[in-house]
Amino acid sequence: NGQAELADLAEGECWLRTSQPDKALPLLRAASARTPTCQPCQMFLGDALFMGGEWGAAAEAYGAAAAAEPGDWRSRRQAGKCFLNLQRPVDAVPLLEAAVKIADADVEAWDLLGHAYIATGNKAETWTVMERLEKLGAADRAKNIRQLLTQ
């Protein structure tokens, strides 16, 4: 029922805030299983899985969160980050591109997109990312990407 889902979600979020994903996971898995279209359930589940280094499962949870809420840029950014951790930059690129289209000022999403472009050999788009990072006041991140690009 809805109350059990909310209780599990609330308790799971508390465990996440104290960096204890192992205690959050059973609660968040239960909440997500009861209501697969619950965007917060899927996001918190993804966060717990990500904290535990379970990037493939986290990417799935973030994908479910994105499907439940089309305007959610964070789920796309986090799924892209998972795919980068899994050495799958080709899978990360469309998610990160979608994230920056929704949240154009998200420095982390732009930074991750730059790394994904470097990993896929897309130099032209990498320069565009560096320019955007500089405009967002993240010159240090742009410099880091420039250094990676010229290696």
Side-chain angles (χ1 to χ4, degrees):
N1 67 40
Q3 289 183 341
E5 170 193 310
L6 289 175
D8 285 347
L9 181 61
E11 188 177 348
E13 181 183 5
C14 288
W15 288 119
L16 280 180
R17 288 177 188 254
T18 60
S19 299
Q20 297 182 63
D22 54 320
K23 292 182 179 179
L25 272 171
L27 298 160
L28 297 171
R29 280 190 171 117
S32 297
R34 277 194 296 278
T35 312
T37 58
C38 170
Q39 191 272 349
C41 297
Q42 297 296 338
M43 278 301 297
F44 286 129
L45 177 60
D47 291 344
L49 292 163
F50 188 91
M51 289 173 76
E54 296 181 48
W55 298 309
E60 287 181 35
Y62 290 134
E69 180 58 52
D72 178 19
W73 56 270
R74 187 175 169 275
S75 61
R76 288 162 176 78
R77 181 192 72 201
Q78 291 302 102
K81 188 187 254 186
C82 290
F83 285 122
L84 285 174
N85 287 340
L86 291 166
Q87 305 298 311
R88 292 172 49 190
V90 171
D91 294 320
V93 167
L95 293 160
L96 295 168
E97 287 175 337
V100 299
K101 282 182 184 171
I102 298 167
D104 184 53
D106 183 47
V107 170
E108 184 178 359
W110 280 105
D111 187 46
L112 292 167
L113 182 57
H115 285 86
Y117 282 151
I118 289 169
T120 58
N122 191 338
K123 289 185 178 186
E125 292 297 332
T126 305
W127 286 104
T128 302
V129 168
M130 285 187 299
E131 291 171 3
R132 183 65 189 136
L133 285 168
E134 287 172 352
K135 287 181 183 174
L136 290 171
D140 55 330
R141 291 188 185 213
K143 181 181 176 183
N144 181 43
I145 288 176
R146 183 175 289 111
Q147 289 172 340
L148 292 171
L149 186 62
T150 57
Q151 289 180 352

